[in-house]
């Protein structure tokens, strides 16, 4: 471990919900929940105002509605989240070439790589300036942790929330960690925490006192060794710049199980096309096509097929996904489908016919029942539906966002990021004057603007000079 706090961990506060509050003046300072809204929906992010009621990420949306019935429940807008994430990551890369993104709203930065921090005051100055730059460029709040290791920097950023900075000085780590709950350490989830509690181990100090041999006996060799090292504040993991994507995938969870085999096939084809769009958008191709099926009884199967060479051709991916589906029994119903491409490359095999019809290897695997976040949901086909929180425009009333829809009606609040809270109007779902729209910039650029200004909204959320592509 280093002798200076040169590892920085950034975590954007309640990221999706904060973007929605910044975008929608009527929601600033209010409880906002972003996630799936169907019967099987799951919370992706809850604003701090919603967390007061006990709502948290990964909670079933139905449970969240019982806890916070008056909150605003919105469908994610991943296009604008990615846009803002790219701006934040660009600021981090200005600090150091060693940036390790963990998700859209979280990353590690190695400040030692460029000598940006050599002691406590210099590290604190870097963190303070970064938070100011993020607020100036995006209008949003980010919490920063600074320490001599990745584990400690992440713990520090958790302590800093919301909208703060915590620096752990080298030499103070053991004293700081000691009284904390075992759940503070990475990898100690509810099951491991309960196992340790039954053994009389509740704090990090008690992990260290139990000793390595006892932890190995309780948790197994690998986990026991790792947990003991963390309790002693030992973490030698380096910051790894720009971790390569191992796969590109999309999936959908259905509110009602799909029993019709023809519809299952059509859904797989649609998912294959969406997957290829993401693949091409990233400038990639891949050799292995993967199909994921979660059945009515929650059992999850994956099937994969490896082609002769990488492809980004939608016909090839569709055909491979269809062949894989033929090997899956969907009797009883399907609750989730996914299509992915792995074995990624930055070029495409020219002989598409050869890879479509040629040799391939198949791999069959049973998965545990764990949900992966689906970053893209279906844009609803056939009839016009309106997703809560998504942007619309009316020929008479201008820009707004969907508050809700049902019974042939859609309710829209007409406001923009820089307006006052707007008025609500209701239309028929097939109103010809209403159409889907792109998100607006969270702050309008003005003549002479350097792009580094903005006003803050209520509840710690502000506004940002961002134009989203969708």
């Amino acid at each position: 471990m280093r002798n200076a706090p040169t590892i920085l961990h950034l975590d954007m506060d309640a990221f999706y919900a904060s973007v929605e509050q910044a975008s929608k003046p009527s929601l600033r300072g209010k409880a906002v929940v972003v996630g799936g809204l169907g019967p099987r929906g799951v919370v992706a992010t809850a604003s701090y105002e919603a967390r007061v009621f006990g709502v948290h990420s990964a909670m079933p949306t139905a449970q969240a509605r019982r806890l916070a019935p008056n909150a605003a429940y919105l469908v994610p807008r991943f296009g604008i989240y990615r846009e803002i994430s790219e701006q934040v990551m660009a600021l981090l890369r200005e600090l150091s070439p060693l940036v390790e993104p963990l998700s859209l709203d979280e990353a590690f930065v190695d400040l030692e790589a460029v000598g940006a921090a050599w002691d406590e005051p210099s590290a604190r100055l870097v963190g303070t300036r970064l938070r100011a730059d993020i607020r100036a460029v995006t209008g949003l709040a980010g919490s920063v942790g600074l320490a001599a290791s990745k584990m400690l920097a992440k713990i520090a950023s958790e302590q800093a929330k919301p909208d703060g900075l915590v620096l752990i000085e080298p030499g103070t780590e053991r004293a700081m960690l000691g009284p904390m709950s075992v759940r503070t350490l990475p990898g100690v989830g509810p099951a491991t925490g309960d196992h340790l509690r039954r053994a009389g181990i509740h704090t990090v100090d008690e992990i260290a006192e139990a000793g390595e041999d006892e932890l190995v006996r309780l948790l197994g060799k690998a986990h026991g060794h790792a947990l003991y090292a963390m309790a002693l504040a030992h973490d030698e993991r380096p910051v790894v710049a720009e971790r390569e994507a191992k796969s590109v995938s999309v999936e959908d969870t259905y509110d009602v199980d799909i029993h019709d085999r023809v519809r299952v096939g059509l859904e797989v084809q649609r998912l294959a096309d969406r997957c290829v769009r993401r693949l091409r958008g990233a400038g990639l191709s891949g050799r292995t096509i993967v199909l994921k099926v979660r059945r009515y009884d929650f059992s999850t199967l994956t099937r994969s097929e490896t082609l002769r060479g990488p492809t980004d051709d939608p016909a090839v991916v569709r055909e491979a996904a269809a062949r894989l589906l033929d090997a899956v029994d969907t009797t009883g119903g399907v609750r989730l489908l996914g299509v992915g491409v792995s074995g990624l490359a930055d070029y495409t095999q020219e002989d598409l016919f050869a890879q479509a019809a040629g040799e391939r290897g198949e791999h069959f695997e049973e998965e545990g029942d764990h949900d992966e976040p689906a970053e893209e949901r279906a844009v609803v086909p056939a009839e016009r539906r309106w997703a809560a929180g998504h942007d619309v425009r009316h020929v008479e009333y201008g820009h707004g966002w969907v508050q809700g829809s049902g019974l042939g009606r859609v309710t829209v609040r007409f406001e923009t990021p820089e307006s006052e809270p707007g008025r609500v109007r209701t239309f028929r779902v097939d109103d010809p004057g209403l159409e889907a729209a792109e998100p607006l910039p969270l702050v309008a650029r003005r003549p002479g603007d350097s792009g580094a200004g903005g006003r803050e909204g209520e509840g710690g959320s502000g506004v940002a000079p961002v134009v989203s592509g969708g």
Side-chain angles (χ1 to χ4, degrees):
M1 193 163 62
R2 309 169 190 211
N3 57 10
T6 56
I7 301 294
L8 182 149
H9 181 262
L10 170 72
D11 200 346
M12 298 295 291
D13 297 335
F15 182 50
Y16 298 170
S18 293
V19 171
E20 298 301 340
Q21 289 175 319
S23 179
K24 302 170 172 64
S26 59
L27 297 185
R28 293 174 191 163
K30 307 276 181 68
V32 175
V33 179
V34 180
L37 304 189
R40 293 174 180 161
V42 175
V43 174
T45 306
S47 70
Y48 285 98
E49 296 86 353
R51 295 179 193 188
V52 170
F53 299 98
V55 180
H56 57 78
S57 61
M59 171 183 285
T61 303
Q63 182 182 354
R65 287 187 186 277
R66 290 192 293 271
L67 294 172
N70 296 320
Y73 288 84
L74 309 177
V75 175
R77 297 185 299 158
F78 285 106
I80 192 168
Y81 305 155
R82 289 193 188 99
E83 195 88 24
I84 296 172
S85 173
E86 288 170 6
Q87 292 187 319
V88 173
M89 296 302 164
L91 290 173
L92 297 182
R93 293 185 193 100
E94 291 178 7
L95 295 179
S96 170
L98 291 182
V99 175
E100 181 178 342
L102 303 179
S103 62
L104 290 178
D105 60 343
E106 185 180 4
F108 287 110
V109 183
D110 187 335
L111 302 177
E112 188 178 51
V114 289
W118 54 90
D119 59 8
E120 185 268 342
S122 61
R124 188 178 295 277
L125 180 60
V126 170
T128 300
R129 286 177 173 171
L130 173 64
R131 292 180 59 241
D133 287 345
I134 289 172
R135 189 175 287 280
V137 171
T138 73
L140 304 177
S143 294
V144 167
L146 289 152
S149 71
K150 290 169 74 172
M151 177 190 77
L152 292 166
K154 184 171 175 61
I155 290 172
S157 70
E158 286 294 325
Q159 291 183 313
K161 290 184 177 183
D163 193 15
L165 182 152
V166 168
L167 183 146
I168 300 174
E169 295 186 45
T172 69
E173 296 94 349
R174 288 287 304 279
M176 181 271 299
L177 281 176
M180 291 184 171
S181 164
V182 296
R183 291 290 304 276
T184 303
L185 299 179
V188 180
T192 302
D194 287 344
H195 197 54
L196 291 171
R197 179 181 51 79
R198 289 194 294 271
I201 299 172
H202 302 85
T203 67
V204 176
D205 261 345
E206 288 171 345
I207 290 177
E209 291 166 5
E212 191 168 15
D213 290 343
E214 176 65 7
L215 291 170
V216 168
R217 186 186 70 80
L218 287 171
L219 305 174
K221 187 174 181 179
H223 202 175
H225 285 316
L227 196 58
Y228 183 68
M230 287 189 290
L232 299 181
H234 294 164
D235 179 17
E236 302 295 335
R237 294 173 300 156
V239 174
V240 180
E242 298 295 347
R243 297 182 303 170
E244 285 189 18
K246 295 182 179 179
S247 65
V248 171
S249 62
V250 295
E251 63 182 46
D252 275 334
T253 301
Y254 303 98
D255 293 341
V256 178
D257 292 346
I258 302 176
H259 292 83
D260 181 7
R261 181 77 178 188
V262 173
R263 188 187 164 196
V264 171
L266 291 173
E267 289 293 314
V268 167
Q269 299 297 289
R270 182 179 57 78
L271 288 166
D273 287 342
R274 283 171 53 202
C275 183
V276 168
R277 286 198 295 272
R278 290 190 62 189
L279 195 69
R280 288 182 168 180
L284 297 170
S285 59
R287 296 185 65 223
T288 301
I289 315 303
V290 182
L291 175 71
K292 178 178 178 181
V293 180
R294 179 162 297 142
R295 298 182 291 193
Y296 70 98
D297 58 359
F298 286 92
S299 62
T300 304
L301 308 175
T302 60
R303 299 288 184 264
S304 65
E305 173 180 313
T306 300
L307 307 171
R308 285 176 179 261
T311 184
D312 66 352
D313 184 85
V316 174
V317 176
R318 281 197 302 267
E319 290 169 13
R323 286 194 296 269
L324 295 170
L325 180 62
D326 288 340
V328 177
D329 179 10
T330 59
T331 304
V334 169
R335 61 190 299 119
L336 176 148
L337 291 168
V339 174
V341 178
S342 60
L344 301 181
D346 56 2
Y347 65 95
T348 303
Q349 169 64 255
E350 294 297 331
D351 188 0
L352 297 180
F353 177 81
Q355 58 182 308
E359 66 182 16
R360 57 186 182 270
E362 291 192 351
H363 175 64
F364 299 84
E365 175 184 330
E366 296 280 345
E367 274 192 351
D369 187 27
H370 59 276
D371 282 317
E372 301 169 2
E375 287 203 350
E376 293 188 18
R377 295 294 172 190
V379 176
V380 180
E383 63 189 73
R384 295 177 81 192
R385 296 184 190 171
W386 305 97
H390 281 218
D391 299 83
V392 295
R393 177 169 293 280
H394 191 273
V395 291
E396 181 178 352
Y397 301 109
H399 191 93
W401 57 277
V402 176
Q403 281 200 324
S405 63
L407 301 177
R409 294 286 186 270
V410 54
T411 301
V412 177
R413 184 179 288 274
F414 290 96
E415 60 186 4
T416 65
E418 293 201 321
S419 74
E420 295 298 317
R423 296 188 62 182
V424 175
R425 298 183 182 275
T426 300
F427 307 91
R428 298 192 319 272
V429 293
D430 59 352
D431 189 310
L434 191 66
E435 62 181 7
E438 298 293 320
L440 292 177
L442 297 188
V443 132
R445 291 186 183 275
R446 298 175 178 84
D449 251 359
S450 64
R455 60 179 178 84
E456 295 180 12
E458 298 174 22
S461 295
V463 288
V466 177
V467 180
S468 171

